[in-house]
Amino acid sequence: MNSDSSQMRILLAEDDEDDRLFFNDAINELKMNNRLMTFKDGRDLMDYLENPETTLLPHILFLDLNMPCKTGAECLKEIRANPKFKDLTIAIYSTSSSEKDIEETFIGGANIYIKKPNDFSKLKKVIKDVVNMNWQYHTSGLNKETFFLSI
Amino acid sequence: MKFLKQNKYFFLLRIALGISIIAIGYLTTMFYFQMKDLDSSFQSIENINATQNELDELFSILKEDEIKLSNLIIADDVAISKGIFNREEASEKIKNLEQLSANNRFLHQSILKLASFIEKKYTLFDEIMASSKAIPYDENTFTEKLFENKRFNHSLYKFIEDDVQPNINGIKLHDSNYPEKIATTRKTVFILALVSIVIFLLSYSKMNDNLLYLKKINNDLKLLNDTFNSAEKIAGFGYWKIDLSTNAYTFSDNLYRLLEEDPKKFKPNWENFNKYIHPEDYEYVIKTNKESIDNQIPTSMLFRYILPSGVLKYVISTANFRTNDKGQNIKIGVIHDVTEQFKKTFELEENNKRLIAINAELESFNNIVSHDLQEPLRKIQMFISRIEANDLSVISEASQGYFSKIKVSANRMQHLMIDLVNYSRTIKSDKIFVEINLNAILQEILEELQPTIEETKAKIAIDELPNVLGTKFQIQQLFINLISNSLKYTKPNTTPEIKITTDDFFADNLEDSINEKSDKIITNKTYFKIIISDNGIGFKQEYSEKIFQLFRRLETEMSYTGTGLGLAICKKIIENHNGFIKAQGNPGIGATFIIYLPKSL
């Protein structure tokens, strides 16, 4: 894995090993110029982000909600409270599609909500769409309807 | 009101009584004076009779003395002349006459004059006697005296005739209306008796009325009391009363019964009652009661007491202060046995707690289904998709068939779980209704169903739809399910057509329009009527109720997959919105679903 600063830096916080594997495979198969880092829980993620040695900030964070040690919601709150990460795009990546979770993460400052697909090709499509999305444009017109990404 | 009237009535009665007393008093006084008058008339008549008598006797005496005088002159019996006249008797008569006439001034004066006449008469007698016996005898003087006597007699009789007798006659005449007076008195007595009888009769009748009335009131009161006593018994309450000025207690019979004692078993007082109060509540009751009496505030408290049999009772005791008609301050209280209610409430509370716990469990079960169960399934599907994409060709044909069945089963399980979650969400839904734009909702749904619509080449025509009140995700679910159904149960080789139309609807006509028995009708409510019809395989009309049952699937070809939950969810959602859903089917022609949603809550 090279560390080209022009690469798209993508983070994934996900406690399920299989899901991390699917995600990794999908990114690899997409053959995009990007670099993926995965974390097994929220604390791992926050340790990395808050480490002063982390100088190259990520572009996009895929954040699972149900995680041990520190949940996705807690991470979201901490990240959005830190001005350093104001440009970080946060994509919620969860099995749940409950109104409550969608509402709370929307208010919490997440940029998009993705329900984990049950088909590998769909997963690839989702990642491609999110990575290629014009975030400036998306964020300016963000509302609750466009927040939930329908596949 | 009745008592007020009664008071007024007593006032009138008093006035009548006063008037009667005055009337009787007046009549009695009149009667008394008339009697007195009669009495005096009677007296004066008697008097006059006596006077006449005396006068007659006086004249007899005078006449006798005149005769004696003649005899003496003729006989010239001087020796016996002294003391021969009845002078004393005449004086006696005069004195009697004076006494009898004492009440009549005129008569009395006449009598006094008469007395002087008589005095002079006897002086004349004496002078005649003296002149007859005078020595020398003077014939002229004697004759003169005799003439004088004759003249005097004449004037005396004249005086009597002209003066005394008229006076007596006058009195006689005056008293001659005596019978008239007696008649007047008789009348008075008669009127008096009559008035008395009338008053007595009136009083008696009035008193009788009053007695009857009192008796009636008494009966009513007795009945009321009986009613109250049995009401007390039936309702399970008892009352007590304290006269705060005398500290006298009254306990109703049922209060004793509530304590499982015979009525009036013990003296009604606070100490005797307190023995029954549960020791844990004792202090509270005593304190509350004392504060209530000190500050004159009403009380309402729930406490327990223990019966002699050891049974625990819950009672509500409410009490308030009143002033009775004597101005005494009394406290009246009711003790109500609420043991049953209390137990029921307690049970209900327990059940409620259990229900809340069950609900919470159900919710966590929901979470398990919606998240924890879906998670491994999703991964299975993910692996399926990976194998399908990369390695399906390298396995045997039979295994490929098995693999395809694995995939179908996994998909079916996923749908089932999604539907189950949706169904359970409709059960516990909070009824927070907002205005929903159906047009926008349907637009979203069409976008969501776009792949299926494209696949089936379905034509969907939607009218301009109203804004309805509801929970958004449920209304959304409702239309997704209905449209999905229409897209699913299509006829082969036919372009599916789905029409969504709308109409206003008033509940009065509901029976007629759906032409079947409805389980609930809310009249006088206007509804939105939304009709979703398709040209699919339809169903037999006899299934129009059954298709809404949970897990009920009609006998269709196996090519139509479904969980049997979709329409059950629709019915549940419509019920949550106080509406109705009806289905009309025609096998081979199509199905129509009619939704009635109330315009206002």
PDB file of all heavy atoms in Angstrom, chain B residues 1-29:
ATOM      1  N   MET B   1     -87.752  24.219  49.405  1.00  0.00           N
ATOM      2  CA  MET B   1     -88.873  24.954  48.838  1.00  0.00           C
ATOM      3  C   MET B   1     -90.140  24.599  49.607  1.00  0.00           C
ATOM      4  O   MET B   1     -90.912  25.468  49.989  1.00  0.00           O
ATOM      5  CB  MET B   1     -88.986  24.557  47.366  1.00  0.00           C
ATOM      6  CG  MET B   1     -89.567  25.636  46.513  1.00  0.00           C
ATOM      7  SD  MET B   1     -88.603  27.123  46.580  1.00  0.00           S
ATOM      8  CE  MET B   1     -89.900  28.295  46.330  1.00  0.00           C
ATOM      9  N   LYS B   2     -90.318  23.340  49.834  1.00  0.00           N
ATOM     10  CA  LYS B   2     -91.498  22.856  50.527  1.00  0.00           C
ATOM     11  C   LYS B   2     -91.513  23.388  51.962  1.00  0.00           C
ATOM     12  O   LYS B   2     -92.546  23.753  52.495  1.00  0.00           O
ATOM     13  CB  LYS B   2     -91.465  21.336  50.524  1.00  0.00           C
ATOM     14  CG  LYS B   2     -92.843  20.720  50.543  1.00  0.00           C
ATOM     15  CD  LYS B   2     -92.747  19.248  50.280  1.00  0.00           C
ATOM     16  CE  LYS B   2     -94.098  18.599  50.308  1.00  0.00           C
ATOM     17  NZ  LYS B   2     -94.010  17.182  50.110  1.00  0.00           N
ATOM     18  N   PHE B   3     -90.325  23.411  52.550  1.00  0.00           N
ATOM     19  CA  PHE B   3     -90.228  23.852  53.936  1.00  0.00           C
ATOM     20  C   PHE B   3     -90.480  25.337  54.057  1.00  0.00           C
ATOM     21  O   PHE B   3     -91.085  25.804  55.002  1.00  0.00           O
ATOM     22  CB  PHE B   3     -88.876  23.475  54.519  1.00  0.00           C
ATOM     23  CG  PHE B   3     -88.787  22.013  54.805  1.00  0.00           C
ATOM     24  CD1 PHE B   3     -88.084  21.169  53.973  1.00  0.00           C
ATOM     25  CD2 PHE B   3     -89.446  21.479  55.910  1.00  0.00           C
ATOM     26  CE1 PHE B   3     -88.029  19.810  54.230  1.00  0.00           C
ATOM     27  CE2 PHE B   3     -89.396  20.128  56.166  1.00  0.00           C
ATOM     28  CZ  PHE B   3     -88.695  19.288  55.327  1.00  0.00           C
ATOM     29  N   LEU B   4     -90.054  26.060  53.049  1.00  0.00           N
ATOM     30  CA  LEU B   4     -90.274  27.499  53.033  1.00  0.00           C
ATOM     31  C   LEU B   4     -91.776  27.776  53.002  1.00  0.00           C
ATOM     32  O   LEU B   4     -92.300  28.598  53.739  1.00  0.00           O
ATOM     33  CB  LEU B   4     -89.592  28.082  51.801  1.00  0.00           C
ATOM     34  CG  LEU B   4     -89.346  29.571  51.842  1.00  0.00           C
ATOM     35  CD1 LEU B   4     -88.203  29.849  52.817  1.00  0.00           C
ATOM     36  CD2 LEU B   4     -89.003  30.090  50.468  1.00  0.00           C
ATOM     37  N   LYS B   5     -92.465  27.040  52.166  1.00  0.00           N
ATOM     38  CA  LYS B   5     -93.895  27.170  52.027  1.00  0.00           C
ATOM     39  C   LYS B   5     -94.571  26.870  53.373  1.00  0.00           C
ATOM     40  O   LYS B   5     -95.478  27.558  53.807  1.00  0.00           O
ATOM     41  CB  LYS B   5     -94.360  26.155  50.976  1.00  0.00           C
ATOM     42  CG  LYS B   5     -95.395  26.704  50.029  1.00  0.00           C
ATOM     43  CD  LYS B   5     -95.582  25.754  48.892  1.00  0.00           C
ATOM     44  CE  LYS B   5     -97.032  25.491  48.622  1.00  0.00           C
ATOM     45  NZ  LYS B   5     -97.216  24.420  47.668  1.00  0.00           N
ATOM     46  N   GLN B   6     -94.087  25.856  53.996  1.00  0.00           N
ATOM     47  CA  GLN B   6     -94.600  25.427  55.281  1.00  0.00           C
ATOM     48  C   GLN B   6     -94.460  26.542  56.308  1.00  0.00           C
ATOM     49  O   GLN B   6     -95.377  26.816  57.081  1.00  0.00           O
ATOM     50  CB  GLN B   6     -93.807  24.184  55.711  1.00  0.00           C
ATOM     51  CG  GLN B   6     -94.498  23.351  56.755  1.00  0.00           C
ATOM     52  CD  GLN B   6     -95.827  22.836  56.259  1.00  0.00           C
ATOM     53  OE1 GLN B   6     -96.079  22.797  55.066  1.00  0.00           O
ATOM     54  NE2 GLN B   6     -96.700  22.483  57.170  1.00  0.00           N
ATOM     55  N   ASN B   7     -93.345  27.225  56.300  1.00  0.00           N
ATOM     56  CA  ASN B   7     -93.093  28.334  57.221  1.00  0.00           C
ATOM     57  C   ASN B   7     -94.111  29.445  57.034  1.00  0.00           C
ATOM     58  O   ASN B   7     -94.672  29.960  57.986  1.00  0.00           O
ATOM     59  CB  ASN B   7     -91.703  28.901  56.987  1.00  0.00           C
ATOM     60  CG  ASN B   7     -90.697  28.232  57.890  1.00  0.00           C
ATOM     61  OD1 ASN B   7     -91.087  27.599  58.868  1.00  0.00           O
ATOM     62  ND2 ASN B   7     -89.440  28.378  57.558  1.00  0.00           N
ATOM     63  N   LYS B   8     -94.354  29.770  55.784  1.00  0.00           N
ATOM     64  CA  LYS B   8     -95.289  30.825  55.439  1.00  0.00           C
ATOM     65  C   LYS B   8     -96.685  30.451  55.952  1.00  0.00           C
ATOM     66  O   LYS B   8     -97.409  31.264  56.492  1.00  0.00           O
ATOM     67  CB  LYS B   8     -95.295  30.972  53.914  1.00  0.00           C
ATOM     68  CG  LYS B   8     -95.836  32.287  53.427  1.00  0.00           C
ATOM     69  CD  LYS B   8     -95.748  32.319  51.927  1.00  0.00           C
ATOM     70  CE  LYS B   8     -96.655  33.361  51.348  1.00  0.00           C
ATOM     71  NZ  LYS B   8     -96.793  33.200  49.911  1.00  0.00           N
ATOM     72  N   TYR B   9     -96.972  29.181  55.803  1.00  0.00           N
ATOM     73  CA  TYR B   9     -98.258  28.638  56.198  1.00  0.00           C
ATOM     74  C   TYR B   9     -98.455  28.780  57.707  1.00  0.00           C
ATOM     75  O   TYR B   9     -99.501  29.201  58.189  1.00  0.00           O
ATOM     76  CB  TYR B   9     -98.277  27.178  55.745  1.00  0.00           C
ATOM     77  CG  TYR B   9     -99.468  26.407  56.202  1.00  0.00           C
ATOM     78  CD1 TYR B   9    -100.705  26.594  55.592  1.00  0.00           C
ATOM     79  CD2 TYR B   9     -99.357  25.483  57.229  1.00  0.00           C
ATOM     80  CE1 TYR B   9    -101.795  25.874  56.009  1.00  0.00           C
ATOM     81  CE2 TYR B   9    -100.444  24.763  57.636  1.00  0.00           C
ATOM     82  CZ  TYR B   9    -101.667  24.956  57.035  1.00  0.00           C
ATOM     83  OH  TYR B   9    -102.734  24.245  57.456  1.00  0.00           O
ATOM     84  N   PHE B  10     -97.394  28.471  58.463  1.00  0.00           N
ATOM     85  CA  PHE B  10     -97.458  28.613  59.911  1.00  0.00           C
ATOM     86  C   PHE B  10     -97.675  30.064  60.314  1.00  0.00           C
ATOM     87  O   PHE B  10     -98.399  30.361  61.261  1.00  0.00           O
ATOM     88  CB  PHE B  10     -96.184  28.082  60.551  1.00  0.00           C
ATOM     89  CG  PHE B  10     -96.222  26.590  60.756  1.00  0.00           C
ATOM     90  CD1 PHE B  10     -95.225  25.775  60.245  1.00  0.00           C
ATOM     91  CD2 PHE B  10     -97.268  25.999  61.471  1.00  0.00           C
ATOM     92  CE1 PHE B  10     -95.272  24.406  60.430  1.00  0.00           C
ATOM     93  CE2 PHE B  10     -97.318  24.634  61.653  1.00  0.00           C
ATOM     94  CZ  PHE B  10     -96.324  23.835  61.131  1.00  0.00           C
ATOM     95  N   PHE B  11     -97.099  30.964  59.593  1.00  0.00           N
ATOM     96  CA  PHE B  11     -97.236  32.386  59.860  1.00  0.00           C
ATOM     97  C   PHE B  11     -98.704  32.802  59.704  1.00  0.00           C
ATOM     98  O   PHE B  11     -99.272  33.482  60.573  1.00  0.00           O
ATOM     99  CB  PHE B  11     -96.326  33.147  58.902  1.00  0.00           C
ATOM    100  CG  PHE B  11     -96.379  34.634  59.072  1.00  0.00           C
ATOM    101  CD1 PHE B  11     -95.888  35.226  60.244  1.00  0.00           C
ATOM    102  CD2 PHE B  11     -96.916  35.439  58.088  1.00  0.00           C
ATOM    103  CE1 PHE B  11     -95.930  36.594  60.398  1.00  0.00           C
ATOM    104  CE2 PHE B  11     -96.971  36.808  58.251  1.00  0.00           C
ATOM    105  CZ  PHE B  11     -96.477  37.378  59.403  1.00  0.00           C
ATOM    106  N   LEU B  12     -99.311  32.348  58.616  1.00  0.00           N
ATOM    107  CA  LEU B  12    -100.715  32.660  58.363  1.00  0.00           C
ATOM    108  C   LEU B  12    -101.604  32.097  59.467  1.00  0.00           C
ATOM    109  O   LEU B  12    -102.534  32.748  59.927  1.00  0.00           O
ATOM    110  CB  LEU B  12    -101.147  32.068  57.013  1.00  0.00           C
ATOM    111  CG  LEU B  12    -100.706  32.845  55.787  1.00  0.00           C
ATOM    112  CD1 LEU B  12    -101.111  32.110  54.522  1.00  0.00           C
ATOM    113  CD2 LEU B  12    -101.334  34.241  55.778  1.00  0.00           C
ATOM    114  N   LEU B  13    -101.272  30.897  59.880  1.00  0.00           N
ATOM    115  CA  LEU B  13    -102.045  30.236  60.923  1.00  0.00           C
ATOM    116  C   LEU B  13    -101.998  31.051  62.214  1.00  0.00           C
ATOM    117  O   LEU B  13    -102.995  31.224  62.917  1.00  0.00           O
ATOM    118  CB  LEU B  13    -101.484  28.835  61.159  1.00  0.00           C
ATOM    119  CG  LEU B  13    -102.460  27.872  61.827  1.00  0.00           C
ATOM    120  CD1 LEU B  13    -103.594  27.534  60.885  1.00  0.00           C
ATOM    121  CD2 LEU B  13    -101.747  26.612  62.265  1.00  0.00           C
ATOM    122  N   ARG B  14    -100.808  31.580  62.484  1.00  0.00           N
ATOM    123  CA  ARG B  14    -100.644  32.407  63.686  1.00  0.00           C
ATOM    124  C   ARG B  14    -101.508  33.653  63.612  1.00  0.00           C
ATOM    125  O   ARG B  14    -102.153  34.044  64.579  1.00  0.00           O
ATOM    126  CB  ARG B  14     -99.173  32.798  63.816  1.00  0.00           C
ATOM    127  CG  ARG B  14     -98.476  31.912  64.831  1.00  0.00           C
ATOM    128  CD  ARG B  14     -97.050  32.281  65.003  1.00  0.00           C
ATOM    129  NE  ARG B  14     -96.281  31.070  65.184  1.00  0.00           N
ATOM    130  CZ  ARG B  14     -95.023  30.930  64.907  1.00  0.00           C
ATOM    131  NH1 ARG B  14     -94.355  31.951  64.413  1.00  0.00           N
ATOM    132  NH2 ARG B  14     -94.410  29.800  65.109  1.00  0.00           N
ATOM    133  N   ILE B  15    -101.538  34.284  62.451  1.00  0.00           N
ATOM    134  CA  ILE B  15    -102.359  35.486  62.266  1.00  0.00           C
ATOM    135  C   ILE B  15    -103.827  35.139  62.501  1.00  0.00           C
ATOM    136  O   ILE B  15    -104.547  35.826  63.228  1.00  0.00           O
ATOM    137  CB  ILE B  15    -102.147  36.055  60.846  1.00  0.00           C
ATOM    138  CG1 ILE B  15    -100.768  36.682  60.757  1.00  0.00           C
ATOM    139  CG2 ILE B  15    -103.225  37.098  60.519  1.00  0.00           C
ATOM    140  CD1 ILE B  15    -100.450  37.266  59.403  1.00  0.00           C
ATOM    141  N   ALA B  16    -104.279  34.018  61.934  1.00  0.00           N
ATOM    142  CA  ALA B  16    -105.669  33.580  62.093  1.00  0.00           C
ATOM    143  C   ALA B  16    -105.984  33.357  63.557  1.00  0.00           C
ATOM    144  O   ALA B  16    -107.042  33.769  64.060  1.00  0.00           O
ATOM    145  CB  ALA B  16    -105.892  32.298  61.299  1.00  0.00           C
ATOM    146  N   LEU B  17    -105.040  32.726  64.246  1.00  0.00           N
ATOM    147  CA  LEU B  17    -105.229  32.457  65.665  1.00  0.00           C
ATOM    148  C   LEU B  17    -105.369  33.758  66.442  1.00  0.00           C
ATOM    149  O   LEU B  17    -106.267  33.917  67.285  1.00  0.00           O
ATOM    150  CB  LEU B  17    -104.036  31.645  66.189  1.00  0.00           C
ATOM    151  CG  LEU B  17    -104.179  31.120  67.609  1.00  0.00           C
ATOM    152  CD1 LEU B  17    -105.234  30.035  67.653  1.00  0.00           C
ATOM    153  CD2 LEU B  17    -102.846  30.580  68.110  1.00  0.00           C
ATOM    154  N   GLY B  18    -104.533  34.737  66.129  1.00  0.00           N
ATOM    155  CA  GLY B  18    -104.568  36.060  66.791  1.00  0.00           C
ATOM    156  C   GLY B  18    -105.917  36.711  66.586  1.00  0.00           C
ATOM    157  O   GLY B  18    -106.556  37.185  67.541  1.00  0.00           O
ATOM    158  N   ILE B  19    -106.370  36.691  65.316  1.00  0.00           N
ATOM    159  CA  ILE B  19    -107.650  37.313  64.999  1.00  0.00           C
ATOM    160  C   ILE B  19    -108.770  36.627  65.783  1.00  0.00           C
ATOM    161  O   ILE B  19    -109.642  37.285  66.364  1.00  0.00           O
ATOM    162  CB  ILE B  19    -107.924  37.261  63.480  1.00  0.00           C
ATOM    163  CG1 ILE B  19    -106.947  38.200  62.770  1.00  0.00           C
ATOM    164  CG2 ILE B  19    -109.361  37.649  63.150  1.00  0.00           C
ATOM    165  CD1 ILE B  19    -106.946  38.079  61.272  1.00  0.00           C
ATOM    166  N   SER B  20    -108.736  35.300  65.848  1.00  0.00           N
ATOM    167  CA  SER B  20    -109.761  34.550  66.574  1.00  0.00           C
ATOM    168  C   SER B  20    -109.780  34.948  68.034  1.00  0.00           C
ATOM    169  O   SER B  20    -110.850  35.176  68.618  1.00  0.00           O
ATOM    170  CB  SER B  20    -109.486  33.053  66.477  1.00  0.00           C
ATOM    171  OG  SER B  20    -109.229  32.691  65.170  1.00  0.00           O
ATOM    172  N   ILE B  21    -108.584  35.057  68.619  1.00  0.00           N
ATOM    173  CA  ILE B  21    -108.519  35.412  70.042  1.00  0.00           C
ATOM    174  C   ILE B  21    -109.112  36.796  70.265  1.00  0.00           C
ATOM    175  O   ILE B  21    -109.909  37.015  71.181  1.00  0.00           O
ATOM    176  CB  ILE B  21    -107.061  35.333  70.545  1.00  0.00           C
ATOM    177  CG1 ILE B  21    -106.654  33.861  70.649  1.00  0.00           C
ATOM    178  CG2 ILE B  21    -106.908  36.026  71.898  1.00  0.00           C
ATOM    179  CD1 ILE B  21    -105.201  33.634  70.912  1.00  0.00           C
ATOM    180  N   ILE B  22    -108.755  37.727  69.379  1.00  0.00           N
ATOM    181  CA  ILE B  22    -109.281  39.088  69.516  1.00  0.00           C
ATOM    182  C   ILE B  22    -110.809  39.061  69.398  1.00  0.00           C
ATOM    183  O   ILE B  22    -111.527  39.675  70.202  1.00  0.00           O
ATOM    184  CB  ILE B  22    -108.653  40.020  68.459  1.00  0.00           C
ATOM    185  CG1 ILE B  22    -107.184  40.259  68.805  1.00  0.00           C
ATOM    186  CG2 ILE B  22    -109.389  41.356  68.379  1.00  0.00           C
ATOM    187  CD1 ILE B  22    -106.379  40.922  67.713  1.00  0.00           C
ATOM    188  N   ALA B  23    -111.318  38.310  68.414  1.00  0.00           N
ATOM    189  CA  ALA B  23    -112.770  38.255  68.199  1.00  0.00           C
ATOM    190  C   ALA B  23    -113.484  37.667  69.421  1.00  0.00           C
ATOM    191  O   ALA B  23    -114.467  38.244  69.919  1.00  0.00           O
ATOM    192  CB  ALA B  23    -113.070  37.405  66.968  1.00  0.00           C
ATOM    193  N   ILE B  24    -112.945  36.560  69.914  1.00  0.00           N
ATOM    194  CA  ILE B  24    -113.579  35.935  71.083  1.00  0.00           C
ATOM    195  C   ILE B  24    -113.506  36.872  72.283  1.00  0.00           C
ATOM    196  O   ILE B  24    -114.480  37.035  73.030  1.00  0.00           O
ATOM    197  CB  ILE B  24    -112.930  34.567  71.392  1.00  0.00           C
ATOM    198  CG1 ILE B  24    -113.287  33.584  70.275  1.00  0.00           C
ATOM    199  CG2 ILE B  24    -113.404  34.021  72.732  1.00  0.00           C
ATOM    200  CD1 ILE B  24    -112.697  32.223  70.444  1.00  0.00           C
ATOM    201  N   GLY B  25    -112.364  37.521  72.445  1.00  0.00           N
ATOM    202  CA  GLY B  25    -112.193  38.471  73.564  1.00  0.00           C
ATOM    203  C   GLY B  25    -113.211  39.584  73.473  1.00  0.00           C
ATOM    204  O   GLY B  25    -113.886  39.911  74.458  1.00  0.00           O
ATOM    205  N   TYR B  26    -113.377  40.112  72.262  1.00  0.00           N
ATOM    206  CA  TYR B  26    -114.322  41.205  72.061  1.00  0.00           C
ATOM    207  C   TYR B  26    -115.743  40.757  72.407  1.00  0.00           C
ATOM    208  O   TYR B  26    -116.467  41.415  73.155  1.00  0.00           O
ATOM    209  CB  TYR B  26    -114.230  41.676  70.605  1.00  0.00           C
ATOM    210  CG  TYR B  26    -115.297  42.649  70.207  1.00  0.00           C
ATOM    211  CD1 TYR B  26    -115.245  43.974  70.685  1.00  0.00           C
ATOM    212  CD2 TYR B  26    -116.357  42.285  69.390  1.00  0.00           C
ATOM    213  CE1 TYR B  26    -116.218  44.880  70.345  1.00  0.00           C
ATOM    214  CE2 TYR B  26    -117.337  43.179  69.049  1.00  0.00           C
ATOM    215  CZ  TYR B  26    -117.272  44.484  69.521  1.00  0.00           C
ATOM    216  OH  TYR B  26    -118.241  45.383  69.189  1.00  0.00           O
ATOM    217  N   LEU B  27    -116.104  39.598  71.870  1.00  0.00           N
ATOM    218  CA  LEU B  27    -117.461  39.074  72.117  1.00  0.00           C
ATOM    219  C   LEU B  27    -117.687  38.808  73.596  1.00  0.00           C
ATOM    220  O   LEU B  27    -118.749  39.117  74.144  1.00  0.00           O
ATOM    221  CB  LEU B  27    -117.684  37.797  71.309  1.00  0.00           C
ATOM    222  CG  LEU B  27    -117.943  38.018  69.818  1.00  0.00           C
ATOM    223  CD1 LEU B  27    -117.904  36.718  69.055  1.00  0.00           C
ATOM    224  CD2 LEU B  27    -119.285  38.713  69.607  1.00  0.00           C
ATOM    225  N   THR B  28    -116.669  38.250  74.243  1.00  0.00           N
ATOM    226  CA  THR B  28    -116.805  37.944  75.672  1.00  0.00           C
ATOM    227  C   THR B  28    -116.993  39.213  76.483  1.00  0.00           C
ATOM    228  O   THR B  28    -117.857  39.295  77.365  1.00  0.00           O
ATOM    229  CB  THR B  28    -115.555  37.199  76.153  1.00  0.00           C
ATOM    230  OG1 THR B  28    -115.291  36.140  75.253  1.00  0.00           O
ATOM    231  CG2 THR B  28    -115.721  36.640  77.556  1.00  0.00           C
ATOM    232  N   THR B  29    -116.203  40.264  76.146  1.00  0.00           N
ATOM    233  CA  THR B  29    -116.324  41.534  76.854  1.00  0.00           C
ATOM    234  C   THR B  29    -117.728  42.110  76.676  1.00  0.00           C
ATOM    235  O   THR B  29    -118.380  42.559  77.623  1.00  0.00           O
ATOM    236  CB  THR B  29    -115.285  42.540  76.326  1.00  0.00           C
ATOM    237  OG1 THR B  29    -114.070  41.846  76.152  1.00  0.00           O
ATOM    238  CG2 THR B  29    -115.083  43.701  77.268  1.00  0.00           C
TER     239      THR B  29
END
